[in-house]
Amino acid sequence: AQSVTQLGSHVSVSEGALVLLRCNYSSSVPPYLFWYVQYPNQGLQLLLKYTSAATLVKGINGFEAEFKKSETSFHLTKPSAHMSDAAEYFCAVSEGTGFQKLVFGTGTRLLVSP
Amino acid sequence: GAVVSQHPSRVICKSGTSVKIECRSLDFQATTMFWYRQFPKQSLMLMATSNEGSKATYEQGVEKDKFLINHASLTLSTLTVTSAHPEDSSFYICSAGTTNEQFFGPGTRLTVL
């Protein structure tokens, strides 16, 4: 069975600081990995996805993530936080393409202070 | 990207009534749609996989007779919460899948009084 662990339910950064949201996965097959962002009372928006191509994946809004098989990790980073980045972030894993059902982590709320 | 809509966005109902939530893929056809449930400050939990023209596949612990799913066309799936109770109050989110990605609807907030 697949699973995702997101370390830290809350992460606080100052505007302009580095953002690092951690995600570790468990999968018996080569995984497809995703990061989604959710703003209050809204659905999920895809930030980026890893689908077995390049291990460093660049997404929207300046975010990127690196797939590290040896560490079973897929951490999300952004060099400089903006106030508008404050939201809930979910890491997810699927066994195949995005067409397959996703298993989500518990989410990390990013707080950005001025 | 592709657009998925949900209707209604918010619904309040009395205990014992049934509520229908629609999920539509607006600019693509989706043979598979997924229904998730999200409790406050928690993650999304997959409830069921909806396949066009066939019965939905429910996740373990999800009552299929309580959460009725119909996927009558390639652009529409509906979730009906039957005989709703306060514990069914939640945020329900659907997604529609293509070969490479799932696109999520904006969610429906259900409040059962």
Side-chain angles (χ1 to χ4, degrees):
Chain A
Q2 297 175 303
S3 66
V4 170
T5 301
Q6 290 184 241
L7 298 177
S9 58
H10 292 79
V11 170
S12 295
V13 299
S14 298
E15 192 173 21
L18 171 72
V19 175
L20 171 61
L21 304 183
R22 300 178 185 275
C23 173
N24 288 86
Y25 70 91
S26 172
S27 178
S28 58
V29 298
Y32 281 44
L33 295 159
F34 307 80
W35 274 101
Y36 287 89
V37 61
Q38 183 182 35
Y39 296 98
N41 295 312
Q42 295 186 28
L44 274 68
Q45 180 182 11
L46 180 67
L47 280 176
L48 49 80
K49 60 182 178 182
Y50 166 76
T51 56
S52 75
T55 57
L56 180 62
V57 181
K58 295 187 182 297
I60 63 172
N61 300 340
F63 284 94
E64 64 181 38
E66 185 173 9
F67 172 72
K68 293 186 176 180
K69 184 178 180 180
S70 62
E71 299 177 6
T72 62
S73 69
F74 190 58
H75 302 331
L76 181 70
T77 61
K78 181 174 180 178
S80 177
H82 293 170
M83 297 295 292
S84 59
D85 294 327
E88 189 85 19
Y89 291 81
F90 292 96
C91 183
V93 62
S94 76
E95 289 186 349
T97 69
F99 190 70
Q100 307 299 322
K101 66 180 184 181
L102 297 170
V103 175
F104 285 87
T106 51
T108 298
R109 180 166 298 277
L110 177 64
L111 306 171
V112 182
S113 57
Chain B
V3 178
V4 175
S5 70
Q6 281 185 242
H7 178 79
S9 59
R10 187 181 296 268
V11 57
I12 301 173
C13 69
K14 293 182 178 180
S15 183
T17 61
S18 295
V19 174
K20 179 184 287 187
I21 303 170
E22 293 185 348
C23 176
R24 294 182 184 272
S25 57
L26 297 184
D27 49 3
F28 67 101
Q29 294 183 330
T31 56
T32 300
M33 292 183 174
F34 301 90
W35 285 97
Y36 296 85
R37 183 175 181 176
Q38 185 181 29
F39 289 106
K41 301 183 179 181
Q42 295 187 29
S43 187
L44 282 74
M45 298 299 295
L46 180 66
M47 297 175 66
T49 302
S50 170
N51 298 295
E52 188 269 336
S54 64
K55 292 183 178 180
T57 303
Y58 290 83
E59 295 299 302
Q60 189 174 8
V62 178
E63 299 176 60
K64 63 179 181 180
D65 294 329
K66 180 167 186 61
F67 298 99
L68 301 178
I69 292 174
N70 183 279
H71 195 155
S73 76
L74 289 172
T75 60
L76 173 64
S77 176
T78 61
L79 168 68
T80 301
V81 183
T82 63
S83 187
H85 292 285
E87 58 265 29
D88 298 323
S89 298
S90 188
F91 195 52
Y92 292 87
I93 302 176
C94 73
S95 70
T98 65
T99 54
N100 292 313
E101 190 172 339
Q102 283 188 40
F103 298 94
F104 287 80
T108 297
R109 170 87 49 203
L110 171 62
T111 303
V112 184
L113 302 177

